[in-house]
């Protein structure tokens, strides 16, 4: 009786078929190709950081409240371009303004009084000069009068001396001698009067000058006191002006307002409270934070990197090429800081600006797949 599997049995008796050898050959070729790729090919090994951001190379400047006060006005908005010294926030300074106005009025009062005293001092100086000139003239007139009276007295005395011998000899009459003696008495009386007037003029001149000089000295003292008070008022005004200026929070540098606290008029801020941050213009750079395991000994300057920005799908907006420039040698807060320099790319559709967050892939080396498999196995075995 014929068996129903006679074809199968004949095939088995005939040995391996062509299909078998074909499959075996294909498997060998595939295995050889895989082995060649595993041990001979090289793939790029990347260190990845999901904590990266764009920053300008100039550090952002924090703006803090120099004094405690109540917000009166916020003069800028987030993103505004500002210049150094521009007022960002004004704090209430009404009390300081009142003190400034009062001190200004006080200073002006001292200055006006000082001007009046200076004018009086100048008038007294002129008066002293006039008095001295008048006294000198008076003394000179009195001296001239003394000289005239002395000349008349001398002439009268000579006349009497001439007439006395003649009257004794009877050459002239007694009446003539008496007349000459009377004229001499009158001349001598006038001389005494002139001398007394000259002495009075000489005594009066120094007395008048000393009174005016004392008045001048008094006025000089008053003027110096007033000017000293005005200088003290000026110093107080400078102090109050500085205090008033502290209530105007200004931009420390040119740049853009990169951060601004939610400040409303009437809100109270304390001294050293952070109010805003001004980002100065500068060259953009990428800052990435990596774990020490990924970075130390692996990430070095001049390595290529790819930056993908959060919120901007790279398939639509593209990626940014960068190169590492600086790598920290010590971790901070458990992370290694890496700085990268972006490469210009006109095809990138992302608006690059300070503060954009991103992820970074840094090409750290080229290795074979077998090496990577062995590394993974080693980490698994060691539990690292």
């Amino acid at each position: 009786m014929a068996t129903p599997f006679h074809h199968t049995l004949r095939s088995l008796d005939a040995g391996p078929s062509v299909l078998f050898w074909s499959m075996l050959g294909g498997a060998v070729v595939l295995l050889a190709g895989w082995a060649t790729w595993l041990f001979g090919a090289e793939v790029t090994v990347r260190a990845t950081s999901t904590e990266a951001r764009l920053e300008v190379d100039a550090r952002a400047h924090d703006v803090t409240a120099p004094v405690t006060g109540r917000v009166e006005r916020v003069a800028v908005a987030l993103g505004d371009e500002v210049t150094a010294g521009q007022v960002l926030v004004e704090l209430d300074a009404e009390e300081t303004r009142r003190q400034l106005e009062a001190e200004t009025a006080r200073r002006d009062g001292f200055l006006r009084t000082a001007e009046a005293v200076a004018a009086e001092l100048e008038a007294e100086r002129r008066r002293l000069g006039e008095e001295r000139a008048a006294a000198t003239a008076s003394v000179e007139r009195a001296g001239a009068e003394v000289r005239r009276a002395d000349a008349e007295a001398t002439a009268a005395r000579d006349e009497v001396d001439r007439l006395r011998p003649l009257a004794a000899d009877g050459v002239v009459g007694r009446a003539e001698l008496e007349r000459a003696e009377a004229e001499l008495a009158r001349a001598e009386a006038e001389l005494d009067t002139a001398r007394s007037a000259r002495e009075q003029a000489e005594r009066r001149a120094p007395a008048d000058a000393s009174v005016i000089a004392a008045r001048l000295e008094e006025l000089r003292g008053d003027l110096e006191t007033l000017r000293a008070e005005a200088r003290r008022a000026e110093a107080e005004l400078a102090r109050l002006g500085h205090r008033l200026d502290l209530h105007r929070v200004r931009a420390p540098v040119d740049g853009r307002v990169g951060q601004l606290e939610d400040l409303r008029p009437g809100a109270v801020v304390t001294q050293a409270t952070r109010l805003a941050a001004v980002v100065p213009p500068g060259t953009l750079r990428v800052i990435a934070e990596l774990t020490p395991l990924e970075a130390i000994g692996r990430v070095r300057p001049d390595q290529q990197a790819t930056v993908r920005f959060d919120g901007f799908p790279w398939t639509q907006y593209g990626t940014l090429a960068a190169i590492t420039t600086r790598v920290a040698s010590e971790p901070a807060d458990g992370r290694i800081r890496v700085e990268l320099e972006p490469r210009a790319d006109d095809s990138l559709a992302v608006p690059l600006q300070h503060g954009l967050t991103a992820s970074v892939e840094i090409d750290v080396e080229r290795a074979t797949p077998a090496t990577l498999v062995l590394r993974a196995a080693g980490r698994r075995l060691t539990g690292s």
Side-chain angles (χ1 to χ4, degrees), residues 53-77:
R53 63 193 179 278
L54 271 182
E55 288 185 358
V56 292
D57 53 3
R59 186 179 181 86
H61 292 260
D62 288 340
V63 180
T64 59
V67 293
T68 298
R70 191 181 303 277
V71 176
E72 189 173 81
R73 184 174 70 95
V74 179
V76 295

Side-chain angles (χ1 to χ4, degrees), residues 71-283:
V71 176
E72 189 173 81
R73 184 174 70 95
V74 179
V76 295
L78 189 65
D80 284 356
E81 296 290 334
V82 296
T83 57
Q86 181 177 338
V87 176
L88 306 180
V89 180
E90 289 187 8
L91 303 179
D92 178 46
E94 185 60 31
E95 181 180 354
T96 304
R97 289 193 189 96
R98 288 198 297 268
Q99 293 176 354
L100 193 65
E101 291 172 358
E103 195 64 28
T104 300
R106 182 169 174 267
R107 189 251 349 240
D108 293 345
F110 285 134
L111 292 177
R112 285 193 296 271
T113 305
E115 289 177 0
V117 171
E120 185 178 357
L121 179 62
E122 185 60 28
E124 288 294 330
R125 285 197 185 100
R126 289 196 299 269
R127 179 187 168 196
L128 177 60
E130 293 170 357
E131 289 288 340
R132 283 175 175 171
T136 300
S138 178
V139 170
E140 288 178 354
R141 286 194 300 271
E145 185 64 21
V146 168
R147 289 190 295 273
R148 183 195 64 77
D150 184 59
E152 289 184 358
T154 299
R157 191 177 299 108
D158 291 342
E159 181 65 15
V160 169
D161 291 342
R162 185 183 67 80
L163 292 176
R164 278 177 181 167
L166 295 177
D169 294 339
V171 176
V172 295
R174 186 66 185 176
E176 184 70 15
L177 178 60
E178 290 177 354
R179 182 192 61 76
E181 288 177 346
E183 184 64 22
L184 174 60
R186 183 194 64 77
E188 288 180 344
E190 287 185 358
L191 178 60
D192 291 340
T193 301
R195 286 173 176 169
S196 178
R198 184 182 65 181
E199 290 175 358
Q200 289 179 1
E202 290 174 348
R203 286 195 301 270
R204 185 171 59 251
D208 293 344
S210 63
V211 171
I212 298 175
R215 178 58 179 164
L216 287 175
E217 191 63 28
E218 180 183 357
L219 290 173
R220 288 192 191 98
D222 293 345
L223 183 59
E224 185 59 34
T225 299
L226 289 168
R227 287 175 174 170
E229 289 294 335
R231 287 193 295 270
R232 279 192 286 270
E234 285 286 356
E236 180 64 14
L237 283 175
R239 187 188 70 81
L240 289 172
H242 175 68
R243 181 177 172 184
L244 180 63
D245 193 62
L246 290 178
H247 288 75
R248 300 185 182 100
V249 184
R250 301 179 183 274
V253 293
D254 295 346
R256 181 176 54 82
V257 180
Q259 183 177 357
L260 185 65
E261 298 298 324
D262 185 17
L263 301 173
R264 301 179 185 277
V268 176
V269 295
T270 57
Q271 186 177 8
T273 299
R274 188 169 183 264
L275 304 180
V278 177
V279 182
T283 305

Side-chain angles (χ1 to χ4, degrees), residues 30-55:
L30 181 62
L31 183 61
W34 180 80
T36 301
W37 172 81
L38 183 65
F39 293 99
E42 287 188 345
V43 295
T44 301
V45 180
R46 295 183 174 91
T48 303
S49 170
T50 57
E51 299 179 12
R53 63 193 179 278
L54 271 182
E55 288 185 358

Side-chain angles (χ1 to χ4, degrees), residues 20-38:
F20 171 77
W21 289 109
S22 298
M23 293 178 63
L24 181 60
V28 171
V29 171
L30 181 62
L31 183 61
W34 180 80
T36 301
W37 172 81
L38 183 65

